[in-house]
Amino acid sequence: MADPRLDPGVIERVRGAMARALVRLPPSLQLLLSGRRRVTVDGQGLDPSLQLLLAVRPRHDGLIEAGPVESRARLQREVVAIRGRSTPIGAVRNVTIQGAAGPLAARHYVPENRPGAPLLVFFHGGGFVLGGLETHDEPCRLLAKHAGQQVLSVDYRMAPEHPFPAAVEDAVAAFRWAVAHASELGADSAGVAVGGDSAGATLAAVVSQLTARDSQPPAAQLLIYPPTDHNTPRPSHRLFDLGYMLTMVERTAYYSLYLGRTGADPDQPRISPLRAPSLAGLPPALVVIAGFDILRDEGRAYAEALQAAGTPCQVQEEPSLGHGFINITGACPAAHRAVVAMAEQWQGMVGSDYRRYSTSKYPNPPLGLAG
């Protein structure tokens, strides 16, 4: 029998338990243990608990240098270990839905005492290469609980095994399946929305564009630190390139695997949704931005473009947090607070105030609803 002390899962669980204990310390001690004063960049101060987590996090050359299979397993171990106990909700069950090329695994989350709640079709992040139902189990639980909505997390096909446009095609198919089967899930068939984080946010934005003229388009779109423009250099790419979870080297590697040898133009809207000819007439959006993130300025640019096009858009910016914060809620109190706030703000996005503006081309909402 293998020595359990060498088992990667055991090692990660120990690290996760230590991290959750350390972040209970006073912020001054967290900063002391991180080995430096509070990090400030571009007028933003890094959350002390996140600064400590980054200081004690094992150094990797990147999430994909070991190859996609091992990197997926490592990411899952890290996320599961650091999240701690799962948030209890009404019901969670694994289901199978229809993707563009065959069945897809999915996970259905139902909040307590909310029969007929709206449904959020959620696409996980991970650079179109990593991530899955387990890595995003806790964020989906928090969304279901604090937004009072059902969540359908979709395990779409990933690169390099399935390069672009497989993920896009699966995401569109998953949304349309959810619309057709919402009643069977016990959800409000008129309140089916889309959302995701990072690469999943790109998919949600693209789905919103591709299905905006469907007989039933998304009720709203939740875009959590979305990559929206593949090639345009932005200040955040330089400011937060090293030491804050996601690097430009990693991003380039992810896209290399995602595009593969397809020859696809990365500036096309299905890859860079900011490049769409028009952003008018899209579902209302909540764009969530992390301050210490190379994608910060892309999220801001997309939100500004939506608002300029007349598409209702609210923005939630978390200046003290970094990319991937929805996956560290068990070990970063500020991240947990941010996700709860996001869920509560999202709750109103598919409510009656917005619903009555979703019948045609989503004109500007009443005063006070636009971000």
Side-chain angles (χ1 to χ4, degrees):
M1 179 179 295
D3 187 341
R5 290 174 297 178
L6 302 180
D7 181 86
V10 173
I11 295 172
E12 291 299 342
R13 286 195 294 273
V14 171
R15 286 175 176 158
M18 292 177 60
R20 293 193 301 275
L22 288 173
V23 298
R24 296 191 186 99
L25 298 172
S28 58
L29 285 179
Q30 293 174 10
L31 293 176
L32 182 64
L33 291 173
S34 76
R36 56 194 302 192
R37 295 179 178 178
R38 188 178 186 188
V39 174
T40 301
V41 179
D42 201 24
Q44 304 171 140
L46 187 63
D47 177 74
S49 61
L50 178 55
Q51 183 169 318
L52 178 57
L53 289 175
L54 291 171
V56 302
R57 183 173 182 250
R59 294 289 186 265
H60 299 311
D61 293 333
L63 281 172
I64 60 175
E65 86 285 351
V69 174
E70 171 54 30
S71 293
R72 288 167 188 158
R74 184 173 69 194
L75 177 63
Q76 181 167 313
R77 290 194 302 267
E78 290 181 349
V79 171
V80 170
I82 206 168
R83 75 185 180 196
R85 295 181 180 178
S86 297
T87 297
I89 60 171
V92 179
R93 65 186 179 114
N94 291 330
V95 298
T96 300
I97 70 172
Q98 187 62 35
L104 296 175
R107 187 168 292 172
H108 182 216
Y109 301 82
V110 182
E112 292 185 19
N113 304 317
R114 287 301 303 270
L119 176 67
L120 170 64
V121 182
F122 188 87
F123 308 113
H124 66 79
F128 308 102
V129 177
L130 311 178
L133 301 182
E134 287 301 324
T135 59
H136 285 67
D137 181 73
E138 181 63 8
C140 289
R141 287 172 178 268
L142 290 172
L143 278 167
K145 178 178 180 178
H146 294 283
Q149 297 177 10
Q150 297 188 27
V151 178
L152 183 68
S153 181
V154 178
D155 203 9
Y156 57 86
R157 290 174 293 164
M158 293 190 293
E161 297 90 342
H162 304 284
F164 174 85
V168 171
E169 292 172 347
D170 278 349
V172 172
F175 168 71
R176 288 175 172 159
W177 183 95
V179 169
H181 294 84
S183 296
E184 297 171 26
L185 296 173
D188 178 1
S189 60
V192 182
V194 292
D197 71 305
S198 196
T202 299
L203 294 177
V206 172
V207 168
S208 296
Q209 293 181 10
L210 295 178
T211 64
R213 301 298 178 263
D214 281 10
S215 58
Q216 186 175 329
Q221 50 182 321
L222 173 62
L223 311 179
I224 307 169
Y225 31 80
T228 62
D229 188 6
H230 180 70
N231 283 330
T232 304
R234 299 182 187 277
S236 61
H237 295 169
R238 170 182 52 82
L239 290 171
F240 309 108
D241 185 20
L242 298 175
Y244 305 105
M245 302 301 288
L246 178 65
T247 69
M248 290 299 292
V249 168
E250 288 177 309
R251 186 188 189 195
T252 299
Y254 289 140
Y255 273 93
S256 177
L257 293 173
Y258 182 47
L259 301 182
R261 298 181 180 180
T262 63
D265 179 3
D267 284 335
Q268 65 167 286
R270 290 189 299 167
I271 297 170
S272 297
L274 185 57
R275 297 301 184 100
S278 173
L279 296 178
L282 297 181
L286 172 58
V287 180
V288 181
I289 299 166
F292 283 78
D293 184 3
I294 61 172
L295 303 178
R296 182 195 69 178
D297 295 349
E298 292 179 51
R300 288 176 175 175
Y302 198 66
E304 291 167 359
L306 288 171
Q307 292 168 343
T311 292
C313 179
Q314 298 188 39
V315 177
Q316 176 183 338
E317 187 152 351
E318 298 294 339
S320 70
L321 297 176
H323 190 85
F325 72 76
I326 71 168
N327 295 110
I328 60 171
T329 55
C332 179
H336 187 276
R337 290 192 297 270
V339 173
V340 171
M342 175 183 70
E344 292 174 345
Q345 187 171 3
W346 172 248
Q347 185 173 26
M349 296 291 290
V350 289
S352 59
D353 287 334
Y354 268 101
R355 185 81 54 76
R356 59 197 178 95
Y357 289 87
S358 64
T359 56
S360 58
K361 295 187 177 182
Y362 297 98
N364 287 319
L367 185 65
L369 290 181

